[in-house]
Structure formats: C-alpha cells, structure tokens
Amino acid sequence: VHTTFPDLDFDSEEKRADAHRTRLRALKSAFSASEKGLVDSELGCEHLFSGTTAICVWVHGAECYCANVGDSRAVLGRVVVGGTGREKVKAVDLSYDQKPTRPDEKKRVRSAGGRIARWRRNLGPLRVWVPRDWIPGLAMTRSIGDTVLTEYGVIPVPEVSLMRLASTDLFLVLASDGVWEFMSSQDAVDFVSKYIKSSPDTQPGEVADALVREAVRRWRRNDVVVDDTTAVVVFLQNLAEKWG
C-alpha cells in the first residue's frame, strides 16, 4: 500500500479497461474456487447447511477493489471538511450487505425459485428458505457454501466495487456481520479514529481487537447471545505521523 497512491501507467484507456476486467475475473474466480474447494468430496466438508460470508479488498496502485459475498462489510475512513470548516473522518462503504431485505437481491433469489420469509411468517428477520420447507433459513442472499440453496439463487459470485484512493483516505475496516449488528459504518470509523488519536503509535491489529471488544460489549448490552465478530483494520497512511 502506497501513501501517495501512484497511478499506474497505461498506453490507452482500452488497456486500462482490459486490466480492470482481468482483475474482476481474478476476484470472481477466487471466490468460485473457494466454494469448489469446500464441495471437494475428498475433504469431507459439510457444505449443504454450512457456509460463510467473505469479503476482501485489493489495493493496486490508487485503485481499491472490494469483492463481497454475504453480509460482511468493508468501509473506508476518509478525511472531509465539514460545514464548520473542521476536518472529520467520514465512513465510505465499499460494499453493500447482501441480505433478503435488499430489493434487488430479493428479486434475484425469488427469480431463481428461492423463498424469502420470516420464520413461520412472523418471527425474526427475513431469511432464505427452500421452496417447500423451513430450511435452512439463511439471513444472507450470497454465500460460499450453503449449497442446499445454490439452485435457488444463493451463489458465491461476489459483487465487486472499484474506488480510486486519494491522500485523504486513512484506513480500511473489514468486518463480519456481528460487528455491524449494533454499529453503523460511521460508528466503526469514529471508534477507530478516536482510538488511533488517543494512542498514535498503536498497530492495526490492536485497533481491530479493540473494535471487536466494543462490538461484543454492544451485543451483551442488547442481546443474550453474541454473533461472530471478526475485524481487520488496515492503515493506508502513517497515522502515528499524522495524529502523533
């Protein structure tokens, strides 16, 4: 990762477009290969009713690609100038949660024959079920695994976004759905920014640990269980130098 985010030289826009298409194919192939590895009979993995969300970010020069399957999320922390003229760190979503509440994802799954409903019609969030039974009740519309729903539209094909980075972009947060249950993207960016400012020499792993602890604390304050809470924090700049 480069702090100045240099542009990459291309002889023409056609070559730049070809490079984008190649990277897009590489990301989609990686997700597909992951699911194929799960269903390999020699491994003996239970994949019909087991699966995972997955998200990755690939920084290539000034270009930031994000590939997402499921309801994990990637967020960029970007410095902007507010109405008062003061700088603040704004959350910029790089992914869009793939849940049954999303109109486009709901339409896609239903077009494939999947059924979207709450448990017994009125309990809990919207989930994906096979057409004629209350199984498996998946709370996301894409997955690596959960192959009982593959023919009904739950696929491992990622949505891929592309954003050009600038000198105002400070850090990335990638986290599983448990982190986002009681934290918005801006909540997470505010927490990370405050933590780094209070301890400028901190390392990304320490910040990620603190973010997970905060997410778990909010779970315990609001519920009797704690969902999976995993986070990765990536510094795009020397923040100790910026905020030290």
Side-chain angles (χ1 to χ4, degrees):
V1 177
H2 303 278
T3 56
T4 54
F5 307 117
D7 202 358
L8 300 179
D9 292 330
F10 291 97
D11 295 338
S12 66
E13 285 303 311
E14 182 179 354
K15 288 186 177 180
R16 183 184 294 273
D18 285 342
H20 288 321
R21 285 190 288 267
T22 298
R23 295 167 194 164
L24 178 64
R25 286 195 300 269
L27 287 166
K28 290 187 174 182
S29 295
F31 278 67
S32 177
S34 296
E35 178 159 289
K36 287 179 180 177
L38 284 179
V39 302
D40 187 336
S41 59
E42 293 183 2
L43 296 178
C45 290
E46 200 296 298
H47 56 81
L48 285 174
F49 296 94
S50 297
T52 182
T53 174
I55 192 160
C56 72
V57 169
W58 180 10
V59 178
H60 197 277
E63 293 162 346
C64 179
Y65 296 85
C66 177
N68 179 51
V69 159
D71 51 6
S72 291
R73 189 183 307 167
V75 181
L76 174 70
R78 170 175 287 173
V79 174
V80 298
V81 178
T84 61
R86 298 181 59 184
E87 286 189 350
K88 62 179 181 179
V89 184
K90 178 183 178 181
V92 179
D93 286 333
L94 301 179
S95 62
Y96 186 13
D97 303 356
Q98 296 155 356
K99 294 188 175 184
T101 50
R102 252 181 69 174
D104 57 337
E105 284 292 284
K106 181 188 293 186
K107 180 179 179 180
R108 185 183 60 77
V109 169
R110 284 179 169 168
S111 295
R115 183 165 58 95
I116 292 178
R118 292 179 173 84
W119 168 249
R120 300 298 183 186
R121 303 294 183 188
N122 59 2
L123 294 177
L126 289 175
R127 296 178 181 272
V128 183
W129 315 85
V130 297
R132 294 180 178 81
D133 203 349
W134 291 101
I135 58 172
L138 191 64
M140 55 190 185
T141 53
R142 302 191 191 205
S143 173
I144 294 177
D146 296 299
T147 55
V148 70
L149 289 171
T150 299
E151 64 178 300
Y152 303 116
V154 176
I155 54 178
V157 179
E159 291 181 306
V160 182
S161 68
L162 170 61
M163 181 171 292
R164 292 187 62 77
L165 298 175
S167 59
T168 53
D169 297 330
L170 303 182
F171 57 81
L172 298 165
V173 177
L174 291 77
S176 64
D177 57 296
V179 171
W180 308 113
E181 185 72 21
F182 299 107
M183 299 182 81
S184 67
S185 297
Q186 191 62 53
D187 287 340
V189 164
D190 289 344
F191 180 88
V192 169
S193 301
K194 183 177 179 180
Y195 192 94
I196 297 172
K197 287 178 180 179
S198 67
S199 181
D201 292 327
T202 190
Q203 297 300 306
E206 299 173 44
V207 184
D209 287 342
L211 179 62
V212 167
R213 289 195 298 271
E214 174 64 16
V216 170
R217 186 186 69 81
R218 296 190 185 200
W219 267 98
R220 289 175 174 161
R221 187 177 64 192
N222 290 279
D223 210 325
V224 295
V225 298
V226 178
D227 200 359
D228 56 293
T229 51
T230 303
V232 175
V233 174
V234 180
F235 293 172
L236 297 175
Q237 298 192 30
N238 185 339
L239 298 184
E241 182 179 294
K242 181 177 181 64
W243 285 332

